[in-house]
Amino acid sequence: MDTKKWARWQDYVALLAGVVLALTPIWFNPNETGGVWAMIVLGVVLAGSALWSLQAPGAVASEWVHAILGVLMFVAPWVLSYANEAGAAWSSWIIGLVAVIVGLWALPESSQAHKKLVAG
């Protein structure tokens, strides 16, 4: 397990997923303004939390943030009424699942890095 800064592949996947989601309204412009802003904001926050994880590999909370944002992304098309707009909705669903998976996948490595930091 890699506990070095800027080394965990799951966080790079989360970073890429966040950037893609933030840019999704360029390709699939949902008619619902709330959907556009949700994708932009959630994408930027996911990318930011991925940078946090990459910089501080022992920040366990950052991995939970990825997973929670993934759940929010997944439900956003229904909550914000853009589920009938295929491109935008599928982007939210797929990227949401990716965020949950990589966030939970990185938890053991992040926990190990945290324990090393605490132990000194």
Side-chain angles (χ1 to χ4, degrees):
M1 291 187 182
D2 204 343
T3 58
K4 295 182 296 189
K5 289 183 179 183
W6 306 100
R8 198 172 355 200
W9 68 268
Q10 296 96 327
D11 297 326
Y12 282 107
V13 171
L15 176 62
L16 179 62
V19 169
V20 169
L21 187 66
L23 296 176
T24 293
I26 294 171
W27 302 294
F28 304 112
N29 190 14
N31 294 326
E32 184 59 44
T33 305
V36 170
W37 283 109
M39 287 186 286
I40 293 169
V41 170
L42 290 172
V44 168
V45 174
L46 179 61
S49 69
L51 290 172
W52 171 26
S53 294
L54 285 163
Q55 193 279 326
V60 178
S62 63
E63 306 307 337
W64 284 109
V65 169
H66 296 166
I68 291 166
L69 289 170
V71 171
L72 292 175
M73 288 174 215
F74 193 83
V75 300
W78 292 294
V79 173
L80 298 172
S81 303
Y82 66 95
N84 60 339
E85 299 179 41
W90 277 102
S91 294
S92 291
W93 293 327
I94 292 169
I95 293 171
L97 285 174
V98 166
V100 170
I101 291 167
V102 297
L104 296 178
W105 195 329
L107 270 174
E109 291 179 43
S110 185
S111 294
Q112 181 184 19
H114 179 75
K115 287 177 186 174
K116 285 183 180 181
L117 286 172
V118 172

